[in-house]
Amino acid sequence: MNQQQSLLSAYQQINQLFTDLSLGMDSEELNQRVIDLAKQWFNDATVLIRRSTQSLSTLKQSLSSYELARQSYMQQLSAPLTSSQGRHFGELVVNKVGSESSDDAQRLQMLAAFYTTALEKLALDEEVRYQAEHDPLTNCLNRKALLTKSKAKLHSGARYVAAFFGDVDKFKQVNDQHGHDVGDAVLCQVGDVFNRTFKGVGVNGRLGGDEFVGIYYSDSYEDILEFKALLTAQLKNQPLLSKLGIGLSVGMSISVAQELNSIESLIKRADQDMYKLKLDSKQSSEPNEQEKGPRLDYTLMFSSVSDYSWS
């Protein structure tokens, strides 16, 4: 194959990669496809994707499936990885046995250009996906994403599922007296508590306004009670809420996962418990200093409940 034919073949293979990328490709598959094509072009050469922000030891760990060049007799070729904004963030390195052919550099540059474009596309896709799923103020999941992800996780095999429904007390009063900037700060602080507390163990989101929901999955009822205590402690330890003299009313409902008709029904039950707490609070006398802060109650729900659809 002469140089012209070799470059034409490389161009066609790059075009196929672009087509596959447009149809859907994650970063792991992208890395492997680039590595495999480079090995095909350069006779099973050793290929290294070197990021400028990573040390060699980090590369060995994060790219453990990729071979690293060690043989000093190999011919090393490299092409810079440069973003469309001109930021240099690494290089694509090929270590091959034998001398360099006339079209090696051009083919490697084509592959590096594809790789950087693909990385930018994946980053943009991820940003768009994040914005579509998250509330921009609190970085909690929005309602649609919360329901979608919590339903998917319902089939994870956990025995119990619990819903926590939180509503900021006197939130309208905070906005009226202190302004919406302070109200937004309150929402951000509550959202941060939910994000940190449910991270890795459940799903949480902001339904809208000052309403927050967290879904927790566990094989142990006692574990759910321990998690309830953890959430309570986290909500009590918020300086802005304490300064404003407000707290949260948080209702909770628990169900055996296999007996649950829908996540919406579980959330509705927790919502009802939360409003019962608010009503009880209004009917009681003003709490003393020891009683201030978040109030958390729970209702056990071991039988199936009716479906509930969000309006």
Side-chain angles (χ1 to χ4, degrees):
M1 183 181 298
N2 59 35
Q3 181 180 0
Q4 184 177 5
Q5 291 174 326
S6 176
L7 290 176
L8 178 60
S9 175
Y11 178 78
Q12 292 171 338
Q13 289 173 299
I14 291 293
N15 274 347
Q16 184 60 53
L17 282 179
F18 272 116
T19 299
D20 295 344
L21 178 67
S22 67
L23 296 175
M25 185 185 300
D26 60 22
S27 59
E28 183 176 351
E29 182 183 356
L30 171 64
N31 286 339
Q32 193 59 58
R33 294 285 294 274
V34 168
I35 294 290
D36 291 344
L37 186 55
K39 286 186 174 183
Q40 176 187 331
W41 285 354
F42 301 106
N43 300 319
D44 203 30
T46 302
V47 183
L48 170 64
I49 299 173
R50 179 180 291 136
R51 300 290 183 85
S52 58
T53 56
Q54 293 177 305
S55 65
L56 185 59
S57 60
T58 304
L59 281 168
K60 286 180 178 178
Q61 181 177 4
S62 63
L63 301 176
S64 58
S65 62
Y66 305 149
E67 299 174 2
L68 300 179
R70 293 183 176 87
Q71 294 90 339
S72 60
Y73 60 84
M74 283 185 169
Q75 176 75 26
Q76 185 174 94
L77 308 172
S78 65
L81 301 175
T82 306
S83 70
S84 58
Q85 289 77 34
R87 183 177 63 87
H88 178 73
F89 59 91
E91 58 184 345
L92 181 60
V93 181
V94 170
N95 295 276
K96 57 173 291 187
V97 177
S99 59
E100 179 180 351
S101 63
S102 57
D103 61 345
D104 281 351
Q106 289 177 271
R107 287 188 296 169
L108 188 59
Q109 288 171 2
M110 290 171 60
L111 188 56
F114 160 77
Y115 184 61
T116 54
T117 302
L119 287 178
E120 289 182 313
K121 179 186 182 299
L122 291 180
L124 180 60
D125 289 347
E126 180 61 30
E127 178 64 23
V128 171
R129 183 163 47 250
Y130 184 89
Q131 292 178 3
E133 293 181 343
H134 289 77
D135 167 48
L137 178 64
T138 64
N139 289 318
C140 294
L141 291 174
N142 58 33
R143 178 183 300 206
K144 181 179 179 180
L146 168 69
L147 294 177
T148 299
K149 292 181 181 294
S150 57
K151 289 174 183 177
K153 197 172 176 63
L154 190 61
H155 304 290
S156 62
R159 183 179 181 185
Y160 300 109
V161 56
F164 297 82
F165 195 112
D167 184 276
V168 180
D169 298 330
K170 303 177 182 177
F171 185 66
K172 184 178 184 303
Q173 180 179 322
V174 171
N175 280 331
D176 292 343
Q177 294 184 359
H178 303 282
H180 288 278
D181 287 345
V182 174
D184 287 349
V186 168
L187 295 178
C188 288
Q189 195 163 93
V190 174
D192 181 64
V193 171
F194 271 76
N195 285 337
R196 287 187 287 105
T197 309
F198 284 89
K199 184 177 181 180
V201 297
V203 181
N204 70 280
R206 179 187 176 197
L207 291 189
D210 60 336
E211 296 176 338
F212 294 83
V213 167
I215 308 295
Y216 184 70
Y217 308 82
S218 179
D219 292 326
S220 166
Y221 169 66
E222 290 75 15
D223 175 60
I224 293 177
L225 295 184
E226 291 177 3
F227 183 81
K228 178 190 76 170
L230 172 64
L231 180 61
T232 304
Q234 292 291 332
L235 290 171
K236 283 182 178 178
N237 189 32
Q238 299 307 309
L240 179 58
L241 274 62
S242 299
K243 182 179 179 180
L244 295 172
I246 62 174
L248 274 79
S249 295
V250 183
M252 176 176 131
S253 59
I254 304 175
S255 174
V256 175
Q258 292 184 346
E259 297 179 1
L260 182 64
N261 286 347
S262 67
I263 284 290
E264 290 92 338
S265 60
L266 189 70
I267 295 174
K268 180 184 178 182
R269 186 65 175 268
D271 185 13
Q272 292 170 341
D273 291 339
M274 182 273 296
Y275 275 105
K276 182 178 181 297
L277 287 173
K278 281 187 178 289
L279 183 61
D280 292 344
S281 176
K282 290 179 181 179
Q283 293 176 346
S284 65
S285 60
E286 187 70 15
N288 58 40
E289 291 299 321
Q290 291 181 343
E291 293 173 332
K292 287 183 179 179
R295 298 182 298 279
L296 186 62
D297 196 6
Y298 64 92
T299 297
L300 296 181
M301 188 173 61
F302 290 103
S303 60
S304 298
V305 292
S306 59
D307 289 334
Y308 175 74
S309 298
W310 294 101
S311 59

